[in-house]
Amino acid sequence: MHLKKIKLHNIRSYPDTELELPLGTTLLSGDIGSGKSTILLAIDFALFGISKDLTGAALLRNGTTNGSVDLHFTIDNTSVTITRRLKRGTSVTQDYGSITIDGTRKERTATELKQDILDLLAYPPDLLTRSTSLLYRYTVYTPQEEMKYILLANREQRLETIRKIFGIDKYKRATTNTETYAHNLKTTIKELFDVPTINILNE
């Protein structure tokens, strides 16, 4: 996946900004509060929409009634543009957005966009019922407080986090289930072949 361009309209400190992302490594540099994290949060929003961890109110610029993020990227030689919009009413909610794949544009609801992205990125189906931005948050960027939590956690918690990041937690379950099955099998074999010996004494 190659992120090519992101356009922000009324997203936090950015009234109207367009950022080109060249192929290779991009370094976001600036003072605290200059808007580095906003770029990363906007990518998160474009891909997965708002959530309990990333609310519309936290994204929409103060004093504005609407905002949007346009994210342009390529994946497997396919050109994709995602547009997500925010609108302010009694609260800040997601408005209709769109996805454009190789020049073909479709209007989509927030839920439909989420499904489209999961399909494009080939995310595991079980992520539909969990926090879909988990992989993004831990593989693309990790908020400072969460990074501190990972570093200070005990060994098993760190391993569990890594398993979730790379989708290998299921292998731990498979190992545990295999060990349980092997133990039960050994017990069954022992019960089957441990036949009491009857000693017959000739008197």
Side-chain angles (χ1 to χ4, degrees):
M1 181 179 183
H2 171 212
L3 301 180
K4 300 179 71 175
K5 182 170 63 175
I6 184 168
K7 294 173 65 177
L8 309 179
H9 172 63
N10 288 336
I11 299 298
R12 292 169 64 128
S13 58
Y14 294 100
D16 280 294
T17 298
E18 182 174 317
L19 179 64
E20 299 277 352
L21 299 168
L23 187 63
T25 302
T26 299
L27 173 66
L28 298 178
S29 176
D31 293 334
I32 294 174
S34 61
K36 301 184 299 296
S37 295
T38 297
I39 299 297
L40 299 170
L41 291 173
I43 295 171
D44 189 344
F45 169 62
L47 292 173
F48 305 108
I50 59 175
S51 66
K52 64 179 182 180
D53 297 319
L54 182 61
T55 64
L59 285 169
L60 187 60
R61 185 177 173 83
N62 290 334
T64 63
T65 57
N66 61 78
S68 64
V69 175
D70 295 283
L71 182 65
H72 303 252
F73 62 92
T74 57
I75 182 168
D76 297 331
N77 296 317
T78 299
S79 178
V80 182
T81 300
I82 303 166
T83 299
R84 283 193 190 262
R85 301 183 182 92
L86 293 168
K87 62 179 179 180
R88 190 187 304 275
T90 53
S91 62
V92 179
T93 58
Q94 293 182 85
D95 205 349
Y96 273 77
S98 67
I99 183 167
T100 305
I101 300 178
D102 286 337
T104 302
R105 183 174 181 274
K106 294 180 181 178
E107 291 285 328
R108 310 295 272 171
T109 65
T111 303
E112 289 170 337
L113 273 176
K114 183 178 179 180
Q115 182 62 62
D116 290 339
I117 295 303
L118 290 172
D119 291 341
L120 278 171
L121 301 181
Y123 272 16
D126 63 337
L127 286 178
L128 289 172
T129 57
R130 302 190 308 187
S131 176
T132 53
S133 63
L134 178 66
L135 291 182
Y136 170 82
R137 284 178 174 270
Y138 283 101
T139 53
V140 179
Y141 85 102
T142 304
Q144 293 175 10
E145 288 303 310
E146 293 183 36
M147 177 60 79
K148 184 170 70 174
Y149 167 78
I150 295 170
L151 294 174
L152 297 178
N154 62 44
R155 180 178 181 276
E156 187 55 37
Q157 287 175 315
R158 290 198 301 271
L159 284 173
E160 189 63 25
T161 299
I162 292 171
R163 291 186 187 109
K164 289 180 179 179
I165 291 170
F166 295 104
I168 58 175
D169 50 328
K170 57 181 175 290
Y171 296 112
K172 181 190 176 186
R173 293 195 299 271
T175 300
T176 302
N177 292 340
T178 301
E179 290 172 351
T180 302
Y181 179 77
H183 175 74
N184 292 338
L185 186 59
K186 287 178 182 177
T187 302
T188 302
I189 291 172
K190 188 173 184 298
E191 290 173 352
L192 289 174
F193 290 95
D194 190 15
V195 179
T197 303
I198 303 175
N199 294 319
I200 301 176
L201 299 177
N202 292 321
E203 296 183 1

